[in-house]
Structure formats: structure tokens, C-alpha cells
Amino acid sequence: MPGNSSSKRTQKTNCLIEKMGYYLDLSDPDIAHLASLQKHEQNWRQRDIVRESGAPADLLYVVKSGWCYSYTIMVDGRRQVLQIHHPGDVIGIPDVAYERAVTGLQAATDICLCPFPKNRLDEIFRDSPRLTALLMTLGMMDHVVLLDRIRTIGRMNADERVAHFLLEIVSRLRITSPDITDTFDLPLSQELIGDALGLTNVYVSRTMSLMERAGLIQRMDRAIRICDERALKDMADFQDRYYRIDTSWFPGGAAPALEPNA
């Protein structure tokens, strides 16, 4: 990692910088740009609406702590959860193209977000082509993940949907928390998980109970232990979209990531 020890310490204590640094060897100016996006903090309590669909899309958010989610509301009041956001995520990149937010944003837990005007991105675009390429690539990654979600909802049964969802969550968490092995905190209600997967909370509860009895997972209060990750991956035809990205085309060149573990 280039830069002095102070920059390295900053990276270790900043989820966004740590996430970006997982994929790209960050320079000191890159680290400074990312840190500047998190100068201001705002806190929301669990279930608070951070932003409603149709609100002005003039801000992006960095998740500093807690979990939140993007959603839409159907005409009949049903909710569709589109994406779960964890610490280190940048929320709102798709909304850059529009004047109004396409989705709502709600706190799943108590959260701390760092809002910044989207016109701040011009500094990164001007000063760091490699960081710009990474932001664009992460936005495309989110697009591919949504395509995976469409496939799971449209073609998979309840067991396969829940298995895919749990594997997606743990794969994302491992990027900024490499100490996570098979156990992770899941502070989401069964209703919220159901709204993400097109299932009722009863189906989510029943499916998790069956998976637990089959020895695939173990539930411990809010925590989930993945007992047989290979079996879950085979069940859901899961592809880890987070472990590896192609950075070989980035301006200035970049070494490709290691191959994922088998």
C-alpha cells in the first residue's frame, strides 16, 4: 500500500477506504478524497426514513455504521426491498443520473451516514481516474447483483432464495471485515428479508427452520452461522460477485485480484 503509516492507519479505521482499498492500491490523494466525503455525519434511529422516493437526488451517502436498505412501495402498499446497505457502501450512485431519487432509503438498525453533495464527485473524476474507474465498477457490480436478485426471485424456490441471500450478505461483509469466517450478525427482520426475496415472513421463518434442521445454517439470536457453505452455494448456484473484479483496464494499470477460493 503506498503512502505513509498515518494513511495506513486511516484506512484501517475507515470502512469506505478499507472497502476501496480491498480492490485498489490507494494513493495518499485517493485516501484524502475518500476521507473528505465523510466529513459530515448524521444519525438515524431504526425504522427512520432517511429519504423518500421522489425526493431531490442531490446527496449521496456513505454508510459509516449500521444497516439500511433501499426500497420501493407498490400501488397497493406492498414494499419491495431492492438492496441492503452495509458500512463502507456508497448509496445513491444510480441516482446521479436523475434529479429525483428512484428509491426510498430506510434504516434497518440505528445508523450513521455521511451525506455529501453529488457534485463533489467532480473532484474525484478530475483528480483520480483510477478511483473514478473503481466507483463506476462498483456501480456496475451493484447492477449485476440486482440481476442475480431478479433471477433468484423469478426462478428459484424459497430454499434457494434464502440460501442465495445469506451467501450474498456474508460475501459482502467479508470485504470490510476479513475476520468473518462462517458467522455474522443479521439484524434484519424476517419481514424485511421476505420483502427482499418476494416471500412472506412465514415462508422465511419456515425455510430457515428447515435449513437449520438440515445442518446448513445455525441461528443464534441475531447471528447466523453458515455450517455448510459449499452445500448452500450448490443449492443456490451462487457466484460471489464481490471477491474479485477486473482492474486490469484501470488507468495506469492495476494488478488483477487473486482467484477466489474454491
Side-chain angles (χ1 to χ4, degrees):
M1 182 69 61
N4 57 34
S5 59
S6 175
S7 295
K8 293 177 183 178
R9 286 195 298 271
T10 300
Q11 180 170 352
K12 290 297 183 182
T13 58
N14 186 300
C15 289
L16 175 61
I17 295 173
E18 187 169 354
K19 177 178 179 178
M20 297 297 192
Y22 175 88
Y23 295 111
L24 190 67
D25 204 14
L26 299 173
S27 67
D28 282 353
D30 290 337
I31 291 173
H33 273 304
L34 295 174
S36 73
L37 299 181
Q38 302 170 79
K39 288 182 177 179
H40 305 289
E41 300 178 2
Q42 287 184 265
N43 296 299
W44 283 268
R45 301 297 300 272
Q46 184 180 24
R47 298 188 182 88
D48 282 352
I49 302 292
V50 177
R51 182 194 64 195
E52 293 184 340
S53 175
D58 50 0
L59 293 176
L60 282 79
Y61 302 87
V62 175
V63 184
K64 183 174 182 180
S65 65
W67 292 30
C68 53
Y69 58 93
S70 297
Y71 68 94
T72 58
I73 300 295
M74 308 297 188
V75 176
D76 61 3
R78 288 176 297 168
R79 177 181 63 180
Q80 176 66 56
V81 172
L82 299 172
Q83 191 170 8
I84 310 294
H85 305 287
H86 310 105
D89 286 355
V90 179
I91 303 172
I93 292 178
D95 291 321
V96 168
Y98 304 100
E99 294 180 351
R100 298 282 173 177
V102 177
T103 63
L105 182 63
Q106 187 165 4
T109 67
D110 291 350
I111 57 172
C112 178
L113 303 181
C114 301
F116 65 92
K118 67 181 180 183
N119 60 18
R120 286 288 309 283
L121 292 174
D122 68 348
E123 299 173 17
I124 294 176
F125 295 165
R126 182 183 64 244
D127 299 338
S128 180
R130 295 175 74 239
L131 200 54
T132 299
L134 179 57
L135 284 170
M136 187 189 80
T137 300
L138 294 180
M140 294 303 98
M141 179 192 295
D142 288 342
H143 173 73
V144 172
V145 169
L146 281 176
L147 293 180
D148 285 342
R149 182 75 56 79
I150 292 172
R151 181 172 67 96
T152 60
I153 293 176
R155 294 297 181 183
M156 293 186 179
N157 61 34
D159 292 357
E160 294 164 341
R161 294 186 205 182
V162 172
H164 197 283
F165 181 81
L166 295 177
L167 291 169
E168 179 188 330
I169 293 291
V170 73
S171 296
R172 294 182 66 186
L173 293 176
R174 285 170 176 164
I175 300 302
T176 53
S177 301
D179 56 320
I180 290 178
T181 54
D182 59 2
T183 303
F184 61 98
D185 189 43
L186 185 65
L188 305 176
S189 68
Q190 292 178 351
E191 179 184 8
L192 197 153
I193 294 172
D195 286 349
L197 299 177
L199 299 170
T200 66
N201 60 339
V202 174
Y203 258 107
V204 172
S205 177
R206 182 184 305 165
T207 299
M208 285 194 170
S209 294
L210 290 172
M211 293 170 70
E212 193 166 21
R213 288 199 290 271
L216 297 172
I217 66 171
Q218 180 182 1
R219 291 181 291 180
M220 303 165 288
D221 295 327
R222 295 197 319 174
I224 296 287
R225 177 171 175 254
I226 304 293
C227 301
D228 193 337
E229 187 164 345
R230 173 51 61 192
L232 289 177
K233 286 182 175 180
D234 291 343
M235 175 192 298
D237 189 25
F238 179 78
Q239 300 293 322
D240 189 342
R241 305 297 188 185
Y242 300 96
Y243 184 86
R244 174 191 170 100
I245 61 173
D246 179 16
T247 61
S248 62
W249 62 273
F250 282 17
L258 297 176
E259 288 292 343
N261 295 326

